[in-house]
């Protein structure tokens, strides 16, 4: 967990994004409510958050269908959800926007340039 947090913070800095705000609902079940996820969604709806860096959709749920549905819901609300590269060791020092992809997709995250204003 700490490794992912540090990688996301460093990558945000490299991409010229603001310092990340961390939202964690560890140890909570979906049926019991996820207050930090709800807070994240409210920030997106209010226009305070337009980009989200995640290690992978698994951060939203262990069930792939639930995780994918959450990513799609956040994107429909106007947030660009970017997944860190997978398939081996990740070094945020060598990561580039071209190496990133939209969560749950094989597409590159080309829209990063638009959100660095």
């Amino acid at each position: 967990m700490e490794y992912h947090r540090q990688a996301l913070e460093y990558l945000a800095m490299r991409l010229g994004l603001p310092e990340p705000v961390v939202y964690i609902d560890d140890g909570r079940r979906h049926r019991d409510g996820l207050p930090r996820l709800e807070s994240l969604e409210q920030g997106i709806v209010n226009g305070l958050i337009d980009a989200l860096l995640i290690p992978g959709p698994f951060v939203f749920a262990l069930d792939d269908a639930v995780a994918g549905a959450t990513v799609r819901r956040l994107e429909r609300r106007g947030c660009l959800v970017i997944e860190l590269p997978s398939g081996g060791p990740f070094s945020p020092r060598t990561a580039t926007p071209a190496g990133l992809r939209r969560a749950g997709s094989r597409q590159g995250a080309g829209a990063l340039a638009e959100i660095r204003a």
Side-chain angles (χ1 to χ4, degrees):
M1 181 73 81
E2 181 65 17
Y3 169 76
H4 284 136
R5 187 189 60 75
Q6 289 176 355
L8 293 168
E9 286 176 354
Y10 191 85
L11 184 58
M13 182 185 69
R14 285 216 43 207
L15 297 174
L17 297 171
E19 183 176 336
V21 175
V22 179
Y23 292 85
I24 299 176
D25 279 318
D26 275 355
R28 297 186 63 99
R29 296 177 298 195
H30 273 267
R31 67 177 170 223
D32 295 335
L34 300 173
R36 298 300 290 157
L37 179 58
E38 292 167 11
S39 180
L40 170 67
E41 288 191 64
Q42 193 59 51
I44 293 167
V45 168
N46 291 339
L48 301 173
I49 300 169
D50 59 3
L52 180 64
L53 297 173
I54 61 173
F58 66 88
V59 298
F60 298 117
L62 295 178
D63 180 284
D64 289 342
V66 173
T70 301
V71 167
R72 288 186 298 279
R73 185 173 68 245
L74 297 176
E75 289 178 332
R76 280 193 310 271
R77 292 177 182 228
C79 185
L80 177 63
V81 182
I82 304 296
E83 184 178 344
L84 291 176
S86 62
F90 168 70
S91 169
R93 289 179 170 74
T94 59
T96 65
L100 302 175
R101 61 190 175 116
R102 293 180 83 88
S105 163
R106 296 193 188 279
Q107 294 178 331
L112 275 174
E114 297 173 20
I115 60 173
R116 283 195 270 161

